[in-house]
Amino acid sequence: MTRNVLVARMDNLGDVLLAGPCVRAVANGSDHVVLLTGPRGRGTGELLPGVDEVLTWCAPWIDPEPPPVTEEDTGEFVRRLRALSLDAALVLTSFHQSPLPLALLLRMAGVPWIGAVCEDYPGSLLDLRHHVPGDPPEAVKMLSLAQAAGFSLPAGDDGRLAIRDPLPPVDHLLGADLIEDGYVVVHPAASVPARQPSAGRSAAFVRALQNAGHHVVVTGSPSESGLTREVAGSALDLGGRTRLPELAAVLAGADVVVAPNTGPAHLAAAVGTPVVSLFAPVVPASRWAPYGVPVVLLGDQHAGCRDSRARSCPIPDHPCLDGIPSGAVVDAVEHLTRRAASVGDRA
């Protein structure tokens, strides 16, 4: 057992959720796990099983709206790290992020052992320079780092995404009819415009699902409430009305979640709900599609924006997502609903 281990994942909500299996493996082999997140991922960090403490700092080399680098801020962060008396640290990053700036700060804080997935020469910054062949899902890649460091999942843990129980009650948000009859969640927003359909297209998906006989609930953060209001129409609009644990509970109660490549899609996976993934190919679906639950992937994966990591769509009319027919969304929802019913019958 290693006494005190830090696991770092410093970007968005969904990225932190995908780190969950790695965190649980580390927790299985240590006494105390500190999860280091950026401010955008702290909320999900607090939901992960195996986390004993969450530390938050905005990394200037990762956050999309980076703060200036100052001696005062960086020095205070190193002092906070040193006060943790860490025995080891695992630095988790996406393929386009470097673990080395954080590794340097961890060394300055006296951390004696550091591991990361890293292509660049690390010098004396890393004790474990882990390579991952192929293009596996992010959750698998991050778990492989923990395993290479000597940590393993506990017996009976299948490595899927998970969050802490219990979830809060949401009956007052949904109403008795939706809870009894079932519902489909449509989450129209993503963290960057290139990854979400237009409001008009998402509204068309909602209407098509309603016309097919489905109750629809539209979800979103407070900053997305204008979008959810436009998309919902006569559907139940929960935009801005749920904290993250309540959103998890709403997603957990859904028959299916329809969402772009965004944190709530991974949150749906973490509560075991099937996902219709409206996936823009600006990043690879092999890495970033919802993990560990039944998924139907929609969207042109060979569009001109493929692998561009674009934040705004570079192709006129956003064809990879706005070209998805409403009927394809309805068919995907009904396929996943039938599949879940079939599994339930066999169980």
Side-chain angles (χ1 to χ4, degrees), residues 261-303:
N261 178 20
T262 185
H266 300 299
L267 187 59
V271 296
T273 302
V275 180
V276 176
S277 178
L278 311 174
F279 201 95
V282 290
V283 295
S286 58
R287 294 176 185 165
W288 297 105
Y291 178 72
V293 294
V295 172
V296 174
L297 193 74
L298 297 179
D300 181 2
Q301 299 306 294
H302 301 284

XYZ file of all heavy atoms in Angstrom, residues 261-303:
305
model
N -20.938 15.153 -27.818
C -19.731 14.794 -27.070
C -19.494 15.846 -25.998
O -18.876 16.877 -26.227
C -18.539 14.713 -28.026
C -17.241 14.401 -27.306
O -17.245 13.893 -26.180
N -16.124 14.712 -27.938
N -19.994 15.549 -24.800
C -19.982 16.518 -23.713
C -20.009 15.779 -22.388
O -20.331 14.586 -22.327
C -21.194 17.461 -23.834
O -21.114 18.480 -22.836
C -22.508 16.721 -23.681
N -19.696 16.486 -21.307
C -19.631 15.858 -20.001
C -20.881 15.098 -19.600
O -20.792 13.972 -19.084
N -22.096 15.650 -19.789
C -23.294 14.902 -19.407
C -23.467 13.580 -20.151
O -24.119 12.672 -19.631
C -24.426 15.885 -19.718
C -23.805 17.210 -19.453
C -22.392 17.079 -20.000
N -22.909 13.434 -21.353
C -22.949 12.121 -22.018
C -22.151 11.105 -21.214
O -22.557 9.950 -21.052
C -22.406 12.227 -23.437
N -20.990 11.525 -20.689
C -20.188 10.633 -19.859
C -20.838 10.436 -18.487
O -20.717 9.365 -17.888
C -18.782 11.196 -19.710
C -18.073 11.358 -21.020
N -17.808 10.292 -21.861
C -17.588 12.458 -21.648
C -17.180 10.726 -22.941
N -17.054 12.038 -22.842
N -21.540 11.455 -18.006
C -22.273 11.303 -16.749
C -23.391 10.282 -16.918
O -23.650 9.475 -16.011
C -22.831 12.658 -16.314
C -23.477 12.726 -14.933
C -22.503 12.328 -13.841
C -24.013 14.128 -14.666
N -24.066 10.292 -18.071
C -25.080 9.272 -18.355
C -24.453 7.885 -18.321
O -25.016 6.944 -17.747
C -25.731 9.538 -19.707
N -23.276 7.743 -18.930
C -22.589 6.447 -18.897
C -22.244 6.044 -17.470
O -22.322 4.867 -17.105
C -21.336 6.504 -19.764
N -21.861 7.017 -16.652
C -21.478 6.716 -15.277
C -22.652 6.237 -14.426
O -22.445 5.539 -13.421
C -20.844 7.948 -14.630
N -23.889 6.596 -14.817
C -25.063 6.107 -14.081
C -25.741 4.960 -14.821
O -26.828 4.520 -14.438
C -26.072 7.240 -13.784
C -25.447 8.270 -12.853
C -26.566 7.906 -15.067
N -25.108 4.474 -15.893
C -25.579 3.269 -16.570
C -26.680 3.451 -17.581
O -27.335 2.471 -17.960
N -26.882 4.676 -18.082
C -27.956 4.936 -19.037
C -27.430 4.896 -20.469
O -26.410 5.516 -20.763
C -28.600 6.309 -18.765
O -29.093 6.327 -17.421
C -29.754 6.572 -19.709
N -28.108 4.186 -21.390
C -27.669 4.158 -22.793
C -27.671 5.557 -23.405
O -28.462 6.424 -23.008
C -28.696 3.251 -23.475
C -29.307 2.453 -22.373
C -29.290 3.328 -21.156
N -26.783 5.761 -24.389
C -26.595 7.090 -24.967
C -26.679 7.032 -26.490
O -26.030 6.199 -27.121
C -25.224 7.678 -24.566
C -25.041 9.069 -25.186
C -25.090 7.755 -23.049
N -27.486 7.935 -27.062
C -27.393 8.253 -28.487
C -26.398 9.403 -28.580
O -26.679 10.522 -28.145
C -28.751 8.652 -29.082
C -28.577 9.067 -30.546
C -29.743 7.510 -28.970
N -25.216 9.109 -29.111
C -24.121 10.067 -29.125
C -24.101 10.815 -30.452
O -23.837 10.235 -31.506
C -22.796 9.332 -28.906
O -21.708 10.225 -28.950
N -24.374 12.113 -30.401
C -24.331 12.987 -31.576
C -22.902 13.491 -31.673
O -22.547 14.524 -31.103
C -25.325 14.134 -31.412
C -26.742 13.730 -30.980
C -27.591 14.975 -30.719
C -27.390 12.826 -32.015
N -22.066 12.741 -32.377
C -20.622 12.890 -32.223
C -19.987 13.588 -33.416
O -19.959 13.062 -34.537
C -19.974 11.515 -32.029
C -18.633 11.583 -31.374
C -18.506 11.414 -30.005
C -17.493 11.845 -32.119
C -17.270 11.500 -29.384
C -16.246 11.940 -31.522
C -16.135 11.757 -30.142
N -19.471 14.796 -33.185
C -18.707 15.506 -34.214
C -17.296 14.934 -34.252
O -16.658 14.780 -33.209
C -18.660 16.997 -33.896
N -16.751 14.642 -35.441
C -15.475 13.941 -35.511
C -14.251 14.829 -35.342
O -13.143 14.443 -35.742
C -15.510 13.332 -36.915
C -16.298 14.303 -37.720
C -17.357 14.821 -36.778
N -14.417 16.009 -34.723
C -13.260 16.872 -34.488
C -12.241 16.199 -33.565
O -11.058 16.549 -33.552
C -13.686 18.245 -33.922
C -14.417 19.049 -34.995
C -14.559 18.094 -32.679
N -12.716 15.252 -32.751
C -11.843 14.355 -31.986
C -12.314 12.938 -32.257
O -13.464 12.719 -32.666
C -11.862 14.672 -30.477
C -11.274 16.036 -30.194
C -13.278 14.561 -29.913
N -11.495 11.919 -32.045
C -11.881 10.559 -32.426
C -12.916 9.943 -31.484
O -12.764 9.971 -30.264
C -10.561 9.772 -32.361
C -9.486 10.750 -32.083
C -10.106 12.011 -31.607
N -13.937 9.368 -32.069
C -14.947 8.669 -31.273
C -14.353 7.465 -30.558
O -14.830 7.077 -29.478
C -16.116 8.240 -32.167
N -13.335 6.848 -31.131
C -12.714 5.690 -30.480
C -12.199 6.039 -29.093
O -12.187 5.192 -28.192
C -11.561 5.158 -31.338
O -10.580 6.161 -31.557
N -11.813 7.281 -28.898
C -11.325 7.709 -27.579
C -12.426 8.292 -26.710
O -12.430 8.107 -25.490
C -10.244 8.779 -27.737
C -8.971 8.309 -28.396
C -8.018 9.474 -28.579
N -6.833 9.076 -29.322
C -5.981 9.924 -29.859
N -6.204 11.223 -29.766
N -4.919 9.493 -30.519
N -13.362 9.027 -27.332
C -14.201 9.932 -26.554
C -15.687 9.600 -26.570
O -16.468 10.303 -25.934
C -13.994 11.364 -27.054
C -12.595 11.837 -26.867
C -11.641 11.981 -27.821
C -11.984 12.212 -25.625
N -10.470 12.427 -27.260
C -10.648 12.575 -25.924
C -12.438 12.257 -24.307
C -9.757 12.989 -24.935
C -11.553 12.674 -23.327
C -10.233 13.035 -23.642
N -16.122 8.566 -27.278
C -17.537 8.179 -27.199
C -17.852 7.694 -25.783
O -16.961 7.236 -25.059
C -17.832 7.083 -28.214
N -19.114 7.794 -25.346
C -19.477 7.300 -24.011
C -19.019 5.862 -23.825
O -19.164 5.022 -24.713
C -21.002 7.443 -23.999
C -21.273 8.567 -24.948
C -20.259 8.423 -26.039
N -18.483 5.586 -22.635
C -17.785 4.330 -22.389
C -18.565 3.426 -21.434
O -19.052 3.875 -20.396
C -16.402 4.622 -21.784
C -15.610 3.385 -21.443
C -15.059 2.595 -22.451
C -15.433 2.994 -20.117
C -14.335 1.454 -22.148
C -14.710 1.859 -19.798
C -14.161 1.093 -20.816
O -13.453 -0.037 -20.512
N -18.689 2.158 -21.803
C -19.191 1.147 -20.876
C -20.683 0.966 -20.843
O -21.195 0.193 -20.020
N -21.432 1.649 -21.719
C -22.887 1.479 -21.821
C -23.235 1.302 -23.299
O -22.442 1.646 -24.183
C -23.668 2.684 -21.244
C -23.459 2.818 -19.747
C -23.288 3.975 -21.966
N -24.433 0.770 -23.611
C -24.848 0.706 -25.018
C -24.912 2.108 -25.627
O -25.444 3.039 -25.026
C -26.234 0.066 -24.942
C -26.220 -0.724 -23.670
C -25.393 0.085 -22.719
N -24.335 2.248 -26.822
C -24.235 3.549 -27.496
C -24.595 3.375 -28.963
O -24.186 2.400 -29.598
C -22.812 4.129 -27.378
C -22.662 5.386 -28.241
C -22.467 4.443 -25.937
N -25.370 4.313 -29.499
C -25.524 4.460 -30.948
C -24.853 5.763 -31.328
O -25.214 6.833 -30.819
C -27.000 4.461 -31.379
C -27.098 4.762 -32.873
C -27.657 3.125 -31.071
N -23.859 5.667 -32.208
C -23.089 6.836 -32.634
C -23.695 7.397 -33.919
O -23.813 6.689 -34.916
C -21.640 6.422 -32.878
C -20.611 7.535 -33.041
C -20.315 8.183 -31.695
C -19.330 6.970 -33.646
N -24.089 8.672 -33.876
C -24.631 9.358 -35.045
C -23.745 10.556 -35.386
O -23.111 11.147 -34.507
C -26.059 9.834 -34.778
C -27.108 8.760 -34.499
C -28.471 9.405 -34.240
C -27.204 7.761 -35.644
N -23.739 10.928 -36.644
C -22.900 12.021 -37.113
C -21.901 11.503 -38.128
O -21.408 10.376 -38.011
N -21.604 12.309 -39.106
C -20.690 11.913 -40.187
C -19.259 11.905 -39.664
O -18.642 12.959 -39.478
C -20.829 12.886 -41.359
C -19.920 12.532 -42.530
O -19.199 11.512 -42.450
O -19.915 13.293 -43.519
N -18.723 10.701 -39.446
C -17.382 10.576 -38.875
C -16.274 10.796 -39.906
O -15.088 10.731 -39.562
C -17.237 9.211 -38.207
C -18.209 8.980 -37.059
C -18.137 10.080 -36.005
O -17.118 10.224 -35.344
N -19.211 10.859 -35.851
N -16.644 11.044 -41.157
C -15.658 11.317 -42.205
C -15.786 12.748 -42.735
O -15.254 13.057 -43.807
C -15.816 10.312 -43.344
C -15.634 8.888 -42.899
N -14.404 8.341 -42.640
C -16.554 7.917 -42.629
C -14.548 7.086 -42.246
N -15.832 6.804 -42.236
N -16.441 13.617 -41.983
C -16.612 15.008 -42.412
C -15.260 15.722 -42.483
O -14.253 15.261 -41.918
C -17.549 15.732 -41.443
